[in-house]
Amino acid sequence: MEKSREEIIEYINGLKNYQGYVQFSHRPIDKERDIFYDNKEVKIEDENGFIYEAHFYNGKNSITIKQVNNHWLVDEIENTPLDDTQIYLSDIKEFNYNIKMAQIWEAKVDDLCASMKVKKLQKVVFVGFEKGESK
């Protein structure tokens, strides 16, 4: 789904029981304002810059938000598969959580493999934070 600047802020602020983060265009991620974990309420302010991207997860569904030209694309993945997850160390100081991402694969016919079905990566989505050490 596609949203305007005002709609995306309203959408993000309407998320309940999600963890995640927002990356603004004009500054680095601020641990206090842009990262939502441990039941912290999701609340962002309209700023001089714009939301470049955002990722959220509620234990079941993943949301990816990306800015494209003058609008934002929202990709909601219901029942996000957790078969293939990766953990990434955060480089945010004094943020002792790692970032967990899920790779979503789908079997598709591949002409280069005798028309057999081959698993192909479709998306990589945020699936939460995990306690750990930062870089």
Side-chain angles (χ1 to χ4, degrees), residues 13-135:
N13 286 338
L15 295 175
K16 303 292 182 224
N17 301 314
Y18 277 83
Q19 57 181 306
Y21 63 96
V22 176
Q23 172 66 67
F24 282 90
S25 63
H26 63 294
R27 61 176 175 76
I29 293 176
D30 181 317
K31 183 180 97 171
E32 302 303 321
R33 297 189 299 175
D34 304 329
I35 301 176
F36 309 96
Y37 60 100
D38 289 344
N39 299 313
K40 182 179 176 183
E41 178 187 8
V42 176
K43 178 84 172 124
I44 60 168
E45 302 294 327
D46 194 2
E47 299 189 20
N48 290 334
F50 56 87
I51 296 167
Y52 177 67
E53 69 177 25
H55 300 271
F56 295 96
Y57 183 67
N58 69 357
K60 183 178 176 183
N61 304 320
S62 181
I63 298 171
T64 301
I65 299 169
K66 300 247 181 198
Q67 184 269 335
V68 178
N69 296 325
N70 65 344
H71 59 272
W72 286 259
L73 298 178
V74 178
D75 187 16
E76 298 175 350
I77 307 293
E78 293 184 2
N79 300 310
T80 306
L82 302 175
D83 303 338
D84 186 2
T85 60
Q86 307 291 319
I87 304 295
Y88 299 93
L89 296 178
S90 168
D91 60 356
I92 298 171
K93 285 187 174 196
E94 299 177 17
F95 181 64
N96 295 322
Y97 287 84
N98 296 319
I99 297 166
K100 190 173 180 182
M101 303 294 280
Q103 296 180 346
I104 300 174
W105 299 81
E106 188 176 317
K108 294 191 173 202
V109 174
D110 189 328
D111 293 337
L112 299 175
C113 291
S115 295
M116 293 185 294
K117 285 192 172 184
V118 175
K119 283 194 173 183
K120 297 192 179 226
L121 182 63
Q122 300 301 302
K123 296 180 182 189
V124 178
V125 297
F126 174 79
V127 289
F129 296 111
E130 189 172 280
K131 285 230 184 241
E133 297 179 18
S134 56
K135 286 184 181 176

